[in-house]
Every structure is written in structure tokens, then in C-alpha cells.
């Protein structure tokens, strides 16, 4: 480490696997989290918050596996300021090459009075006790003042001073509820940095939420005011309206060096693949107009813009698509493409597959190439998602046959493997998709409510694969499901079954939110 707040290097702390997982429906299993963590390490992230080990055995195991796998990136475990949490957190990360304990306690009057039922002295006392405990395990300790942006600034300085004296090497100021305004947040950062006497002994960090759409602006204003660590997530996923998005911060620093002399270690050409991977695994779609990584971020519609771009791309493009890793070569494999060509192309898109995984994707690729003449990046991504990234499934589709038309009542006959045991069923519905979903829910004995259904063509052309996304709810648990196939009824069945698999997983391994324990 050895970095100070005077340096111009920004430490990128990614919390996609912790705060990001608190997005409704964004559950990930251990294998999926490990895949994202590995991608984040390649991206050049400095610290990965891998989870909250005290929340569940599943979270503990995921954090432990990530800690034991990563070589360069620091792995942080989030812990409340409870002795048992910190012990559990350390147990999960103690074998990491670079472990970090991240402990937090609320400091706003509102949280202290109503949630913690503690006064200022008690909060300071507990902060000291838990930071000391964490520091007895490692010299890499972060302390966060939850709801910091709504806390009394002078009290914040006292808590941070106590935390640093007790051994914290990073102190973090969160805008937990996304309430701050950039100018005000910048003033608060400046004030706290100036009035915390031992601030030279710790890195100053910020963690912003996006409830007013200001997370990125607040984080940038904090950087300009002197913060040297930023807590972010890929695609800005996170609790409620999400967190500051990693790609927006990184590309702002890269695009506006005249305003921001600060730099970071992120390899920007891996931003787009990381965004796609997180979207594929969590099932959370990136909105088309999203900055940097949205499908329209580099699409120029107006004729006058297209003309300008042809004459000189800088007329309307402040970043080059290649800079964020948008593949220049969205071609185009076909029936005659071999395994080697597929492997190269998949790697160019940012995925690293084992031989076994490549074999699975290649088989799916061949099957798709029989139905569709040209296979584009979007198709390949869907194949990788279905063949490799999916959680180990309870339910899988074996067979589907649907009869429908304008003079027939739609019926669906389906066979599903339930834990590798085939079960058949047939039923009708208002339309073909209703019939399919009814049949699946009868066969699987599940009672989920369909909250949302959407369908998109993955590429242009009438032979495009349809990509279906569903949002399901059962007993208050929400899960997203995704499926793609040239036949949109099959894509719908695959999405529904994927959602049911995720619900099964969540029933076994509930995502416990930091705020709810
Ligand atoms: O938003 C928040 O305050 C948090 C803390 C746990 C850092 O996520
Ligand atoms: Zn948060």
C-alpha cells in the first residue's frame, strides 16, 4: 500500500459482490461470484468487497473461496462492529494474499437514536473496540460511518479520529441513502479531512448511493476534494437505486484528465466485458441509454451526427468504443467456424473458458448455427451464459411442444428434468406463453407470481434469437430469469425455468441485507 491522500492515484474498491448483490433479484452463487471476482481482478480493481461472511454460511464460503483464489487484489470482508462478525469475517479472508476487514457503524443522530439506541460516547467506544479487534488480525482495516452524509460533521471527525487511533487505515464516508448534493458532499469531505487531526494516517474513502441519480457526481466531487478511495459497482447495481458505477468514474477520469489529474489502475478495455458478465450473471439488464456500457452509448442516430462522425469521430464521440473494450469485430461466426475460431472470439470478448466449458459452448454454438446463419457477439454471449455461467440447476428443460394459432386454444406439452429426474405435463392457457408457464409451474410444483416479462431481439434480422427476461416472486423472494433462443416460446420457457432455479437457490441461501441484520 503505502499510499497517502496526497497521491493522485485513486483506489478502486468494488462492492458489486456485496452492495451490488443487495439489488432486488441479483443473487449469485459461489461459482458465479468467483467468476466475477476473477474478472474484476483482471480489470485491475484494487479492492474487492467479496461479501458479508456473518450473513450466511453461503456468503462465508463465497468470500473464503474468493480470498483463497485472488493473488493481486485485496479482498475485503464486511462486518458489523460485533465481535462475532469480525471473527467470522477474519476466518473467511485470513488466507487471502491481501486481506482487509471492513467494519461499519452508523453515526447519524437518526440511526443512533432509532436503530442503534446508542449515544455518541457509546458509538465511539464500540468503534474503538471493533477496530482494535480487527487490527489485531490485520493492518488493513477499513471503518465506515454508516449514514455519514447525514451525520454531524464534528462528531464524524471524532469517530474517524478514534477509528484511526485504534488502527483503521482507511476511513469511509458513505452517503448511505443517496441524499447528498455534490457541492455539499465536497464541502463535507473537505471539512472532515481538514478537521480529523490524524487524517494523514489513513486513506479517505467515499461510498455513494444513487437515490437522486447523483452517486457518480458526488463521488467525483469527493475525489476533487481529496478522497483517494471510491467504492463502486459494475453497472452501478446495488441497494435500491444502486451505487456509484465503476465505469462512469473510471471513464470520467480517463476522458477529462484536464479536470481530474487523478488516475487509477483499471484496464478500461475490460470495462465492457465486465459489464456484460455482471449483467449476464445477475440477470439485471443494462438500460440501453446507460452511460459508457449501454447499447446506445456509442450509437449515433441523427444524420448530422453520423455525417460528423464519418468526417472526424471526435465531432460527436468523446470516447472511442475500443477504449472500453467494445469488440470492433462483431462478426460473425457461422456453421463452418471451428472450435478454435470460437475460442479466439470468446476470448476477444473477455471471457476465459476452461476446455470443458468451451466444449459445452461449442456444442450449443453448432446447434444454434444450424438454425441461424450468422452468429453475432450477442448470440455467443447468450450461449456462454446458458452453457457456463448458470447456477447449478434444479430444473432444466428437456422438451417443449406448443400448439397455438388463431383458431385453436393454446396448449403446451413439456418435459422438465427435476434434479435429473424427467417429469412430463401438459396444459392450456390464454396464449402460448401462458400455457407454457402454467405447464412449467404444474410440473415443478412452484407457485411463483410473474411480476414482469420482457422480450427483445438479441440482434437484427428475422432469424434473431429472442431474449426473454422474467421477474418472479414467491414468498416475498424476488428472482430474475433470462433465456435466449431463436424460438421465442422456447426462450420464454428457458427464462421462466432460469427464474425458478434462482428462486430455489434463494430459498436455500437467502441474501441477507446489511440493513436487516
Ligand atoms: O451504504 C452504506 O452505508 C454501506 C456501508 C456498509 C458501507 O453499504
Ligand atoms: Zn452501501
Amino acid at each position: 500500500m503505502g499510499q497517502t491522500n496526497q497521491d493522485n492515484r485513486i483506489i478502486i474498491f468494488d462492492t458489486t459482490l456485496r452492495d451490488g448483490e443487495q439489488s432486488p433479484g441479483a443473487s449469485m452463487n459461489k461459482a458465479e461470484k468467483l467468476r466475477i471476482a476473477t474478472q474484476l481482478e483482471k480489470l485491475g480493481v484494487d479492492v474487492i468487497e467479496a461479501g458479508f461472511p456473518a450473513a450466511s454460511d453461503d456468503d462465508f464460503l463465497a468470500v473464503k473461496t474468493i480470498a483463497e483464489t485472488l493473488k493481486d487484489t485485496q479482498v475485503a470482508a464486511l462486518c458489523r462492529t460485533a465481535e462475532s462478525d469480525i471473527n467470522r469475517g477474519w476466518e473467511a479472508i485470513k488466507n487471502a494474499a491481501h486481506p482487509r476487514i471492513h467494519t461499519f457503524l452508523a453515526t447519524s443522530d437518526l440511526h443512533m437514536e432509532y436503530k442503534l439506541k446508542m449515544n455518541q460516547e457509546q458509538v465511539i467506544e464500540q468503534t474503538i473496540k471493533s477496530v482494535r479487534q480487527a487490527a489485531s488480525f490485520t493492518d488493513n482495516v477499513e471503518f465506515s460511518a454508516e449514514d455519514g452524509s447525514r451525520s454531524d460533521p464534528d462528531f464524524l471527525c471524532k469517530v474517524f479520529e478514534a477509528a484511526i487511533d485504534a488502527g483503521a487505515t482507511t476511513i469511509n464516508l458513505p452517503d448511505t441513502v443517496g441524499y447528498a448534493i455534490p457541492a455539499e458532499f465536497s464541502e463535507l469531505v473537505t471539512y472532515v479531512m481538514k478537521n480529523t487531526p490524524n487524517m494523514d494516517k489513513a486513506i479517505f474513502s467515499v461510498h455513494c448511493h444513487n437515490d437522486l441519480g447523483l452517486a457518480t457526481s458526488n463521488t467525483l466531487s469527493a475525489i476533487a476534494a481529496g478522497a483517494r478511495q471510491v467504492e463502486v459497482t459494475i453497472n452501478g447495481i446495488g441497494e435500491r437505486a444502486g451505487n456509484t458505477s465503476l465505469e462512469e468514474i473510471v471513464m470520467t477520469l480517463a476522458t477529462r484528465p484536464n479536470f481530474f489529474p487523478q488516475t487509477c489502475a483499471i484496464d478500461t478495455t475490460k470495462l465492457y466485458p465486465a459489464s456484460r458478465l455482471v449483467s449476464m450473471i445477475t440477470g439485471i439488464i443494462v438500460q440501453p441509454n446507460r452511460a459508457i456500457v449501454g447499447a446506445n452509448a456509442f450509437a449515433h442516430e441523427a444524420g448530422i451526427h453520423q455525417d460528423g462522425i464519418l468526417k472526424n469521430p471526435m465531432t460527436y464521440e468523446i470516447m472511442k468504443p475500443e477504449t472500453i473494450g467494445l469488440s470492433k469485430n462483431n462478426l460473425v461466426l457461422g456453421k463452418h467456424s471451428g472450435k478454435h475460431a470460437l475460442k479466439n472470439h470468446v476470448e476477444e470478448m473477455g471471457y476465459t473458458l476452461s476446455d470443458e466449458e468451451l466444449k459445452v459452448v461449442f456444442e450449443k454454438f453448432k446447434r444454434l448455427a444450424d438454425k441461424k446463419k450468422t452468429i453475432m457477439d450477442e448470440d455467443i454471449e447468450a450461449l456462454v451464459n446458458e452453457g457456463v455461467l448458470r447456477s447449478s440447476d434444479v430444473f432444466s428443460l428437456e422438451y417443449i411442444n406448443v400448439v397455438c394459432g388463431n383458431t385453436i386454444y393454446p396448449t403446451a406439452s413439456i418435459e422438465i428434468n427435476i434434479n435429473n429426474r424427467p417429469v412430463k405435463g401438459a396444459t392450456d392457457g390464454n396464449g402460448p406463453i401462458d400455457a407454457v408457464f402454467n405447464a412449467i409451474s404444474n410440473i415443478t410444483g412452484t407457485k411463483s407470481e410473474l411480476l414482469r416479462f420482457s422480450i427483445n431481439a438479441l440482434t437484427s434480422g428475422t432469424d434473431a434469437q429472442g431474449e426473454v427476461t422474467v421477474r418472479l416472486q414467491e414468498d416475498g423472494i424476488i428472482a430474475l430469469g433470462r433465456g435466449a433462443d431463436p424460438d421465442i416460446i422456447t426462450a420464454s420457457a428457458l427464462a421462466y425455468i432460469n427464474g425458478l432455479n434462482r428462486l430455489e437457490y434463494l430459498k436455500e441461501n437467502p441474501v441477507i441485507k446489511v440493513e436487516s441484520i
Side-chain angles (χ1 to χ4, degrees):
M1 292 205 301
Q3 161 150 10
T4 73
N5 293 316
Q6 270 66 55
D7 296 336
N8 266 344
R9 186 181 179 287
I10 302 297
I11 299 168
I12 303 290
F13 175 114
D14 181 282
T15 182
T16 304
L17 298 178
R18 199 278 299 169
D19 226 332
E21 203 196 22
Q22 294 184 205
S23 312
S27 60
M28 295 170 252
N29 68 21
K30 192 177 78 180
E32 291 169 336
K33 285 184 181 174
L34 182 61
R35 193 171 278 274
I36 290 181
T38 310
Q39 183 80 24
L40 291 174
E41 183 166 62
K42 282 195 206 136
L43 181 64
V45 158
D46 297 286
V47 189
I48 291 176
E49 184 159 66
F52 186 15
S56 67
D57 288 349
D58 200 56
D59 226 9
F60 174 87
L61 274 179
V63 176
K64 187 168 188 300
T65 308
I66 292 167
E68 288 170 359
T69 307
L70 300 191
K71 301 276 176 297
D72 303 319
T73 311
Q74 297 175 47
V75 178
L78 184 69
C79 316
R80 288 166 300 182
T81 52
E83 198 180 334
S84 54
D85 266 39
I86 295 174
N87 285 336
R88 190 88 174 131
W90 177 244
E91 200 48 41
I93 56 167
K94 65 180 182 195
N95 296 327
H98 309 284
R100 172 184 292 200
I101 295 177
H102 177 194
T103 186
F104 71 99
L105 188 59
T107 51
S108 65
D109 289 345
L110 207 63
H111 279 231
M112 288 191 294
E113 182 178 347
Y114 293 99
K115 191 181 86 174
L116 300 176
K117 308 211 183 315
M118 287 166 84
N119 62 30
Q120 292 195 343
E121 286 68 38
Q122 289 167 317
V123 164
I124 291 190
E125 224 172 84
Q126 185 152 329
T127 300
I128 294 173
K129 192 165 156 245
S130 49
V131 171
R132 277 202 187 131
Q133 185 197 349
S136 72
F137 294 128
T138 170
D139 58 7
N140 190 353
V141 177
E142 171 169 339
F143 172 77
S144 286
E146 192 191 6
D147 206 20
S149 60
R150 293 193 300 169
S151 302
D152 172 58
D154 290 316
F155 179 55
L156 261 186
C157 296
K158 283 194 192 136
V159 177
F160 284 155
E161 182 183 1
I164 296 169
D165 272 347
T169 43
T170 301
I171 53 111
N172 182 39
L173 173 56
D175 181 26
T176 302
V177 290
Y179 180 75
I181 302 294
E184 170 197 49
F185 198 55
S186 149
E187 238 175 65
L188 181 63
V189 170
T190 307
Y191 184 86
V192 174
M193 288 189 77
K194 192 161 159 234
N195 292 290
T196 304
N198 48 4
M199 202 50 247
D200 57 321
K201 297 196 176 62
I203 293 292
F204 196 92
S205 167
V206 290
H207 171 117
C208 297
H209 280 269
N210 204 31
D211 300 64
L212 292 173
L214 294 172
T216 297
S217 306
N218 282 327
T219 302
L220 289 168
S221 76
I223 290 177
R228 286 299 171 264
Q229 174 179 285
V230 293
E231 302 200 348
V232 291
T233 60
I234 300 286
N235 300 335
I237 63 169
E239 181 78 33
R240 303 181 311 277
N243 289 56
T244 305
S245 97
L246 181 148
E247 60 279 3
E248 289 177 9
I249 294 296
V250 168
M251 288 313 292
T252 303
L253 298 184
T255 308
R256 297 301 310 272
N258 54 336
F259 193 87
F260 289 102
Q262 296 81 13
T263 55
C264 66
I266 297 293
D267 174 354
T268 61
T269 63
K270 298 202 162 53
L271 285 173
Y272 187 70
S275 160
R276 296 302 304 153
L277 182 73
V278 168
S279 171
M280 283 288 166
I281 286 181
T282 57
I284 299 180
I285 289 174
V286 175
Q287 81 203 56
N289 59 323
R290 190 165 181 92
I292 324 288
V293 290
N296 296 346
F298 293 93
H300 300 275
E301 190 73 15
I304 193 166
H305 288 206
Q306 289 169 353
D307 180 54
I309 291 275
L310 287 174
K311 289 175 175 147
N312 181 344
M314 283 172 71
T315 49
Y316 288 101
E317 225 165 55
I318 59 165
M319 298 166 271
K320 291 197 181 94
E322 308 87 89
T323 313
I324 66 149
L326 256 173
S327 160
K328 269 179 279 178
N329 164 19
N330 185 358
L331 98 91
V332 206
L333 299 167
K335 203 177 165 120
H336 302 293
S337 307
K339 209 189 222 171
H340 196 68
L342 178 70
K343 181 173 191 279
N344 282 346
H345 200 71
V346 163
E347 276 170 11
E348 224 178 80
M349 288 170 65
Y351 297 105
T352 314
L353 302 185
S354 66
D355 289 347
E356 198 47 44
E357 290 170 338
L358 183 67
K359 197 170 151 222
V360 174
V361 175
F362 188 62
E363 275 163 20
K364 285 184 172 286
F365 167 77
K366 282 289 179 195
R367 245 177 281 141
L368 181 62
D370 278 339
K371 298 186 197 162
K372 190 171 185 277
K373 219 158 117 202
T374 47
I375 311 277
M376 316 293 279
D377 285 359
E378 293 82 351
D379 296 314
I380 293 175
E381 218 166 43
L383 296 179
V384 172
N385 183 33
E386 281 184 12
V388 180
L389 304 180
R390 283 278 158 88
S391 42
S392 48
D393 289 345
V394 176
F395 309 119
S396 61
L397 180 68
E398 190 56 37
Y399 163 90
I400 176 166
N401 183 28
V402 176
V403 183
C404 66
N406 65 344
T407 55
I408 315 174
Y409 202 61
T411 51
S413 319
I414 293 184
E415 183 175 313
I416 289 179
N417 283 325
I418 305 181
N419 287 322
N420 298 323
R421 189 175 47 86
V423 185
K424 285 184 192 158
T427 192
D428 52 20
N430 279 338
I433 290 172
D434 189 40
V436 165
F437 286 7
N438 288 342
I440 294 173
S441 104
N442 289 348
I443 295 169
T444 55
T446 52
K447 304 234 168 320
S448 63
E449 185 189 351
L450 179 67
L451 299 181
R452 199 183 63 203
F453 174 94
S454 66
I455 184 158
N456 244 323
L458 266 180
T459 56
S460 56
T462 50
D463 66 345
Q465 292 200 82
E467 184 191 43
V468 173
T469 311
V470 296
R471 190 179 173 93
L472 305 179
Q473 180 170 30
E474 192 176 341
D475 298 335
I477 304 174
I478 291 179
L480 303 174
R482 232 180 193 188
D485 196 272
D487 169 20
I488 56 172
I489 309 277
T490 304
S492 306
L494 290 170
Y496 194 66
I497 291 171
N498 179 233
L500 292 181
N501 280 317
R502 287 186 173 274
L503 274 177
E504 286 303 303
Y505 180 77
L506 278 174
K507 282 186 222 158
E508 295 288 312
N509 307 284
V511 175
I512 301 169
K513 296 189 174 191
V514 170
E515 287 78 1
S516 60
I517 6 184

